[in-house]
């Protein structure tokens, strides 16, 4: 079992739960949301992000690379991603910092030390730490995640778990004693559309949500809204019906409007992203209208955004 890799430690985050938080993003996810804004979160291993616009074709990485993944052809860098073993040897040779490796191992102690630096901010704002991804609940070494949660709680710091719920319920049960809240996504309620846009069935996700609620977990439900993909009135009505039928208890609902700030990261990973531009940012009044749909059904504490 390998230690889950971290690809970002976001300090002073105000979008991943209550107050000011440190969000730790782990690599690796079994889902493939078409609109994922952290594509470097999807694979479990380390990988090179190449910021081509910064590259001056100096050839430093050509000399540094032990597996000859870089060549200069006609004055331009050609990078062979299939050869790259993400060893990082080329990073120091790249003066314009066109290269970065996504994914780093940390011990629990190292993470807790980093987290504790902002203790005063958590205390003053009612914040804490959010473990996110990727899918932290699908980490191969779940004991690491549990130990991290325990260590953070020992410091008196709140722990939120940001999850798609796509894992066994036993995994959720293991972190539940240390999780103050689950930020839980329903990305799409229709099973066929879920398979189409996210790559997997949503049966487990919906079942786990009901189980968490029945077991008394605090849940903030998060509903990403991507016009042309999900968030239709029919979708929202089905989500409301599901929540009502299953008596799912929610402390908060967050309607998350689509944004495309991850687009540039896809280029850095040599992956395509919505090349036809069919995903658009929903207008503010549309988000307000969706919010009202939930309010009409008696749901409260509904926020637009994270
Ligand atoms: S990370 Fe290592 S293998 Fe990949 S391009 Fe750089 S030196 Fe080569
Ligand atoms: S070292 Fe950096 S700037 Fe130089 S060729 Fe490689 S990627 Fe480009």
């Amino acid at each position: 079992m390998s230690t889950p890799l971290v690809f970002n430690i976001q300090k002073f985050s105000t979008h991943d739960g209550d107050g000011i938080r440190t969000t730790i993003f782990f690599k690796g996810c079994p889902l493939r949301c078409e609109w994922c804004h952290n594509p470097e979160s999807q694979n479990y291993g380390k990988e090179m992000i190449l910021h081509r616009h910064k590259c001056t074709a100096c050839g430093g990485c050509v000399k540094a690379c032990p597996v000859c993944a870089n060549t200069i052809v006609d004055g331009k860098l050609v990078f062979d991603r299939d050869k790259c073993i993400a060893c990082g040897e080329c990073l120091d040779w790249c003066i314009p910092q066109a290269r970065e490796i996504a994914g780093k191992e940390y011990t629990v102690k190292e993470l807790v030390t980093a987290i504790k630096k902002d203790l005063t901010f958590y205390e003053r704002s009612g914040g804490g730490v959010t473990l996110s991804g990727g899918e932290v609940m699908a980490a191969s070494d779940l004991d690491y995640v549990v130990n991290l949660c325990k260590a953070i709680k020992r410091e008196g710091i709140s722990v939120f778990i940001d999850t798609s719920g796509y894992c066994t319920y036993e995994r959720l049960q293991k972190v539940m004693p240390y999780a103050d809240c689950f930020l839980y996504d329903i990305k799409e309620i229709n099973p066929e559309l879920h398979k189409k846009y996210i790559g997997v069935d949503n049966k487990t996700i919906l079942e786990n949500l009901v189980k968490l609620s029945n077991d008394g977990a605090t849940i903030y439900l998060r509903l990403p809204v991507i016009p042309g993909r999900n968030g239709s009135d029919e979708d929202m009505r089905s989500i409301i019906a599901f929540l009502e039928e299953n008596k799912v208890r929610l402390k908060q609902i967050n309607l998350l409007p689509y944004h495309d700030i991850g687009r540039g990261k896809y280029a850095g990973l040599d992956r395509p992203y919505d090349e036809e531009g069919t995903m658009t940012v929903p207008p503010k009044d549309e988000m307000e209208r969706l919010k009202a749909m939930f309010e009409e059904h008696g749901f409260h504490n509904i926020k637009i955004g994270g």
Side-chain angles (χ1 to χ4, degrees):
M1 249 181 313
S2 51
T3 303
L5 299 175
V6 171
F7 71 90
N8 190 13
I9 299 175
Q10 174 86 57
K11 292 163 91 66
F12 302 106
S13 171
T14 53
H15 300 288
D16 300 306
D18 298 343
I20 294 172
R21 311 191 76 80
T22 295
T23 304
I24 302 174
F25 292 90
F26 289 95
K27 263 174 88 56
C29 183
L31 274 49
R32 286 294 177 271
C33 304
E34 210 183 319
W35 49 83
C36 177
H37 58 271
N38 284 325
E40 76 275 41
S41 74
Q42 294 179 338
N43 296 331
Y44 282 84
K46 294 182 185 182
E47 55 196 324
M48 167 70 66
I49 301 178
L50 188 56
H51 305 285
R52 285 193 168 74
H53 63 285
K54 292 186 183 174
C55 174
T56 57
C58 71
C61 56
V62 179
K63 286 182 218 140
C65 183
V67 295
C68 303
N70 308 292
T71 43
I72 302 289
V73 179
D74 295 335
K76 284 192 178 157
L77 170 71
V78 177
F79 172 56
D80 187 339
R81 184 170 292 279
D82 291 338
K83 281 188 183 170
C84 176
I85 52 171
C87 66
E89 291 289 324
C90 55
L91 299 190
D92 287 346
W93 290 77
C94 185
I95 306 301
Q97 299 185 324
R99 301 179 158 251
E100 80 182 92
I101 298 288
K104 189 177 171 190
E105 280 185 21
Y106 290 87
T107 63
V108 165
K109 195 174 169 196
E110 284 170 333
L111 286 179
V112 172
T113 302
I115 287 162
K116 276 169 64 182
K117 287 182 182 157
D118 293 331
L119 196 54
T120 318
F121 295 101
Y122 312 143
E123 284 170 355
R124 285 194 188 157
S125 68
V129 173
T130 299
L131 305 187
S132 184
E135 177 49 69
V136 64
M137 294 310 305
S140 64
D141 187 354
L142 191 67
D143 287 343
Y144 172 95
V145 177
V146 173
N147 288 336
L148 177 58
C149 290
K150 280 185 194 171
I152 300 169
K153 291 298 291 176
R154 266 199 300 272
E155 300 296 333
I157 301 170
S158 123
V159 176
F160 280 23
I161 303 287
D162 181 13
T163 182
S164 67
Y166 190 72
C167 59
T168 62
Y169 190 63
E170 288 69 32
R171 284 184 155 245
L172 292 164
Q173 279 178 310
K174 278 190 176 176
V175 299
M176 209 185 302
Y178 317 104
D180 294 281
C181 180
F182 288 90
L183 307 178
Y184 200 104
D185 293 356
I186 294 183
K187 298 168 192 290
E188 171 58 62
I189 190 84
N190 178 306
E192 289 311 312
L193 293 180
H194 200 279
K195 265 187 225 155
K196 184 176 173 186
Y197 295 129
I198 289 126
V200 300
D201 190 84
N202 63 357
K203 187 168 177 280
T204 304
I205 293 170
L206 298 176
E207 284 175 358
N208 282 345
L209 175 61
V210 175
K211 287 178 188 170
L212 272 182
S213 167
N214 289 344
D215 283 347
T218 300
I219 304 167
Y220 289 5
L221 188 68
R222 289 158 81 87
L223 307 173
V225 176
I226 298 98
R229 298 296 189 277
N230 66 4
S232 66
D233 283 13
E234 190 187 340
D235 256 354
M236 290 300 173
R237 278 195 292 271
S238 299
I239 291 172
I240 289 166
F242 171 81
L243 296 172
E244 288 177 336
E245 277 163 25
N246 291 285
K247 299 184 173 51
V248 178
R249 284 188 305 251
L250 302 171
K251 193 164 177 205
Q252 184 170 299
I253 298 176
N254 291 79
L255 295 166
L256 306 173
Y258 169 74
H259 58 71
D260 73 346
I261 55 172
R263 184 179 288 277
K265 295 186 187 177
Y266 282 82
L269 290 161
D270 302 309
R271 290 192 219 158
Y273 179 77
D274 190 28
E275 287 168 323
E276 286 156 21
T278 54
M279 288 190 275
T280 54
V281 177
K284 196 163 178 283
D285 57 354
E286 173 62 5
M287 296 303 295
E288 292 291 348
R289 196 180 66 78
L290 296 177
K291 181 181 173 195
M293 279 178 76
F294 281 85
E295 285 168 340
E296 280 162 20
H297 283 261
F299 292 94
H300 54 85
N301 203 13
I302 302 164
K303 296 189 174 167
I304 296 172

